[in-house]
Amino acid sequence: MESLHNEEQRQNLMRFFKTAPGDYGYGDEFLGIKVPQTREVVRHAAKDFPLGAIPELLMSRWHEVRLCGFLILVDKFERMATKRLENDVAATDGRDEIVSLYLQYAEQANNWDLVDLSVYKILGHWLLLPSALGDRAYKQKVLDSLAASSCLWKQRMSIVCTWFPSHHGDPSWCLRYAEMHLRHPHDLMHKAVGWMLREMGKSNVDLLRDFLRQHAHEMPRTMLRYAIEKLPETERREWRISSAL
């Protein structure tokens, strides 16, 4: 990956991911590799890459190398989460091992893209699968711990992972963590919560409307805008007006 270094692209990425002093991505370092290039590396490496070597990638100083590590975890998890292997004991243990590793190195996903490209495919999918680590109550404790963390990226994990269960018929995770983060101070969380509410609404618009009736008046403007984005324009206007009253 270091051989793919591109200085012009590195400068672009550093601006895009807000790495200047005082910004949320301050201190992050880039090689200048585009995501499709990283995915190509993953495609060639993931199948035979040993799980025990992934922490070296996740601890890299380079943003793209950390992304590579997280995407290899995604690939390995998905190979063990096919319909045929859902209840397989060895596959269940393998998925649990990946989840444990993901959580152990969660703070290394220290920008929104690292979270968003990995968390729903690992933690989000895990929420709906058998696990030897624990039942639904245990999984809720895991997400509650992320949500209560002082780390912005762990907090983002707790809401973005709900995309997967929402799209597979279980909106309860989204509703729980959207409500928990309703008054979060950071714009990145406003966007994430609104985004997840919008995605949940694609499957159950009535639940989205119920949530809006309860909380639109207290939702930050960005969160509300993201949440109502797919509703009809006349309805979006009504929600914006009612939230301002």
Side-chain angles (χ1 to χ4, degrees):
M1 292 194 75
E2 289 181 349
S3 71
L4 298 173
H5 172 270
N6 182 310
E7 183 60 26
E8 181 180 355
Q9 179 70 7
R10 186 180 80 87
Q11 294 296 332
N12 292 337
L13 290 173
M14 288 176 67
R15 285 191 293 271
F16 183 73
F17 286 106
K18 308 292 186 184
T19 62
D23 286 340
Y24 60 76
Y26 176 60
D28 208 352
E29 297 187 71
F30 289 80
L31 287 165
I33 303 174
K34 294 182 179 180
V35 172
Q37 291 176 287
T38 301
R39 289 194 181 278
E40 186 65 14
V41 173
V42 172
R43 187 176 72 83
H44 287 289
K47 184 177 180 181
D48 299 317
F49 200 89
L51 193 65
I54 291 178
E56 184 176 354
L57 302 180
L58 302 182
M59 293 302 295
S60 172
R61 62 183 284 198
W62 302 115
H63 182 103
E64 298 94 333
V65 176
R66 296 197 303 279
L67 175 59
C68 183
F70 283 116
L71 292 180
I72 289 174
L73 285 180
V74 168
D75 183 273
K76 289 184 176 298
F77 188 94
E78 289 183 329
R79 289 176 188 272
M80 298 180 190
T82 61
K83 197 70 177 175
R84 181 176 64 85
L85 295 176
E86 279 187 5
N87 295 294
D88 181 86
V89 174
T92 298
D93 290 342
R95 294 192 303 262
D96 286 347
E97 187 177 6
I98 291 170
V99 166
S100 296
L101 186 64
Y102 187 82
L103 292 170
Q104 182 181 349
Y105 290 92
E107 290 191 22
Q108 294 303 111
N110 60 342
N111 217 312
W112 57 265
D113 64 316
L114 301 178
V115 173
D116 296 356
L117 291 173
S118 63
V119 72
Y120 75 94
K121 291 184 175 182
I122 296 177
L123 286 188
H125 198 168
W126 176 70
L127 294 175
L128 301 183
L129 292 169
S131 171
L133 295 175
D135 56 10
R136 182 186 175 97
Y138 170 82
K139 293 174 181 179
Q140 184 173 296
K141 287 181 181 178
V142 170
L143 264 60
D144 284 355
S145 176
L146 292 172
S149 169
S150 60
C151 173
L152 172 65
W153 310 114
K154 287 184 176 182
Q155 294 166 359
R156 189 174 174 98
M157 285 179 175
S158 71
I159 183 66
V160 175
C161 77
T162 69
W163 183 94
F164 198 96
S166 287
H167 275 259
H168 289 80
D170 187 354
S172 63
W173 297 97
C174 177
L175 293 171
R176 177 178 179 82
Y177 295 100
E179 194 166 273
M180 195 174 292
H181 293 304
L182 203 58
R183 296 176 182 83
H184 198 286
H186 204 293
D187 184 65
L188 281 175
M189 287 297 291
H190 300 169
K191 292 176 180 178
V193 172
W195 170 30
M196 289 303 107
L197 286 169
R198 182 185 73 214
E199 293 302 309
M200 182 202 70
K202 290 179 180 178
S203 302
N204 197 323
V205 71
D206 290 335
L207 271 183
L208 172 59
R209 289 176 175 135
D210 287 344
F211 187 93
L212 293 171
R213 277 190 283 271
Q214 293 180 61
H215 299 295
H217 66 283
E218 57 184 333
M219 293 170 69
R221 181 174 297 181
T222 299
M223 186 186 296
L224 178 64
R225 177 166 56 85
Y226 272 60
I228 65 177
E229 190 174 30
K230 296 300 181 181
L231 298 177
E233 170 56 31
T234 53
E235 184 176 358
R236 297 202 302 272
R237 189 181 306 115
E238 290 171 1
W239 285 118
R240 288 194 295 267
I241 293 170
S242 65
S243 70
L245 297 177

